[in-house]
Amino acid sequence: MNWDDTTDTDATGERLVGPVADREDQAVEAALRPKDLGEFIGQEKVREQLDLVLRAARARGATADHVLLSGAPGLGKTTLSMIIAAEMEAPIRITSGPAIQHAGDLAAILSSLQEGEVLFLDEIHRMSRPAEEMLYMAMEDFRVDVIVGKGPGATAIPLELPPFTLVGATTRAGLLPPPLRDRFGFTAHMEFYEPAELERVVHRSAGLLDVEIDADGAAEIAGRSRGTPRIANRLLRRVRDYAQVKADGLINRDIAAAALAVYEVDARGLDRLDRAVLEALLKLFGGGPVGLSTLAVAVGEERETVEEVAEPFLVREGLLARTPRGRVATPAAWAHLGLVPPRPAAPGNGQGDLFGT
Ligand SMILES: Nc1ncnc2c1ncn2[C@@H]1O[C@H](COP(=O)(O)OP(=O)(O)OP(=O)(O)O)[C@@H](O)[C@H]1O
Ligand SMILES: [Mg+2]
């Protein structure tokens, strides 16, 4: 599955439930990141597998295999890369695909690594082609060819590298060329989190931020966090503000619900845009099928905004289906908005017409 992280700056930059880190997130995230695997919540499979990989490497006194972390924004890829370094008691160097435009940029980084160092390459799918090819050899043979000179007189000087662990992160694993993907010894696919796991995230963050919260308050925030720890932490901060200003600071279910109502994040984590799309689909088009362009006009948004910003979550939640004949609401969508379908719904079978109401 792919998650587009390129559209978020414009269309979702202001969204409280947007997946990508905003400036405020960046400021607090360092303080909220779990420091070791034991503190890292959820992702049981990934944690178990990674634990084995790291333990085995440590027992052999070797550098850990290269690790690829793939998954939607805010699920903990950067956090895990730091944990890998911490567990290996190794230093970490952090860079990203877009920062490496020339192979020479990468050569400079690689040749300055210490033995055993973790190189975290964020957004690895956005690296330039020549840098990517240099990386193949570096990952496999711990060697790069540095080209000296230009034109016919150019020569390749092989340069030995100390063994290192590459940790690549991507929101778009599908965009990685197979030769690159194949050079990772271990690939971790990060999943969206279960509500119970997000409750633990909220409790943990509340503790670190010195915020008082009860179990119901944490559950209320977790349920609206779209399976994403980053969003859970962000909603917690907004609810904390509300609890301070409007109450005595303690976050319980009522406070959390009231605070998030102010920010128009509903019980299932839909925000104003998501609800507008769903409401138009149900109220104006009888649940569909309706074409994307028509739906976009109805909510006064760009086609791309509806398709890339609102729809992925609605589809994931099972509220909306994309069919060859257009967008269709599921029975869950009617239930979520408290509306009754115009007739016994047979959604998704492509039979519906536009029953205007
Ligand atoms: N398993 C977890 N347990 C507790 N907190 C977590 C967990 N995963 C992520 N977080 C919190 O969520 C925030 C975002 O995580 P992180 O920055 O690692 O996500 P990411 O996958 O790197 O996102 P992006 O794709 O945008 O770079 C961090 O502040 C971290 O504290
Ligand atoms: Mg990250």
Side-chain angles (χ1 to χ4, degrees):
M1 203 200 254
N2 286 331
W3 296 274
D4 198 324
D5 57 343
T6 53
T7 53
D8 293 293
T9 38
D10 36 33
T12 63
E14 304 294 306
R15 291 181 94 193
L16 194 57
V17 291
V20 173
D22 58 30
R23 200 163 300 172
E24 190 190 337
D25 293 331
Q26 287 165 6
V28 291
E29 277 185 354
L32 296 180
R33 278 187 213 289
K35 301 278 185 279
D36 57 41
L37 273 183
E39 260 189 83
F40 193 81
I41 294 162
Q43 309 288 344
E44 296 302 332
K45 266 273 144 315
V46 166
R47 245 187 24 215
E48 186 184 350
Q49 293 164 347
L50 196 57
D51 186 46
L52 286 173
V53 169
L54 300 180
R55 265 172 207 264
R58 274 201 310 258
R60 290 193 303 265
T63 301
D65 242 337
H66 305 305
V67 177
L68 180 65
L69 306 172
S70 87
L75 297 190
K77 298 181 296 299
T78 298
T79 304
L80 261 191
S81 75
M82 293 177 173
I83 288 176
I84 291 171
E87 296 274 347
M88 294 305 289
E89 295 180 18
I92 182 167
R93 182 84 58 94
I94 298 175
T95 186
S96 74
I100 298 175
Q101 280 319 312
H102 306 286
D105 301 340
L106 183 62
I109 294 171
L110 290 171
S111 59
S112 67
L113 291 176
Q114 300 171 39
E115 177 160 353
E117 190 158 357
V118 171
L119 174 62
F120 177 52
L121 226 169
D122 209 355
E123 301 187 78
I124 191 169
H125 60 279
R126 293 177 62 193
M127 215 173 14
S128 75
R129 206 52 218 251
E132 207 170 85
E133 273 161 21
M134 172 177 279
L135 193 59
Y136 294 165
M137 199 198 278
M139 291 173 77
E140 208 156 72
D141 303 328
F142 298 110
R143 193 167 65 86
V144 289
D145 280 339
V146 181
I147 311 290
V148 179
K150 281 203 167 111
T155 45
I157 301 181
L159 184 69
E160 296 282 330
L161 303 173
F164 65 94
T165 299
L166 178 71
V167 178
T170 181
T171 50
R172 312 284 305 267
L175 294 186
L176 282 194
L180 180 54
R181 228 179 314 164
D182 293 346
R183 281 171 168 80
F184 286 96
F186 173 63
T187 299
H189 297 285
M190 322 261 306
E191 306 286 344
F192 287 99
Y193 290 67
E194 297 298 326
E197 295 167 342
L198 290 173
E199 283 175 39
R200 287 167 57 203
V201 171
V202 170
H203 275 300
R204 180 180 171 277
S205 300
L208 291 170
L209 296 171
D210 215 4
V211 174
E212 240 194 308
I213 188 167
D214 69 14
D216 289 342
E220 194 62 38
I221 293 174
R224 299 178 188 224
S225 300
R226 299 172 166 241
T228 307
R230 172 175 291 139
I231 298 177
N233 285 340
R234 197 187 290 149
L235 297 186
L236 172 64
R237 296 198 300 275
R238 291 291 76 81
V239 173
R240 170 188 62 179
D241 295 347
Y242 183 95
Q244 260 166 22
V245 174
K246 302 267 189 184
D248 57 3
L250 171 78
I251 298 174
N252 56 31
R253 185 178 296 279
D254 289 344
I255 293 286
L260 293 173
V262 170
Y263 289 101
E264 302 186 278
V265 176
D266 79 10
R268 224 166 151 160
L270 277 65
D271 74 352
R272 194 156 45 86
L273 173 68
D274 303 321
R275 290 182 68 93
V277 169
L278 220 47
E279 256 174 46
L281 180 57
L282 300 184
K283 291 184 179 168
L284 302 179
F285 305 108
V290 61
L292 173 60
S293 304
T294 309
L295 189 57
V297 170
V299 294
E301 291 288 349
E302 298 289 337
R303 205 185 132 94
E304 289 73 21
T305 305
V306 171
E307 184 171 32
E308 292 164 17
V309 180
E311 281 189 353
F313 181 66
L314 296 175
V315 171
R316 203 178 102 211
E317 282 290 286
L319 296 170
L320 178 147
R322 292 166 169 166
T323 75
R325 297 192 50 209
R327 273 46 177 175
V328 177
T330 65
W334 292 98
H336 184 61
L337 290 194
L339 297 171
V340 181
R343 59 175 154 165
N349 65 2
Q351 284 189 350
D353 275 310
L354 307 186
F355 343 92
T357 44

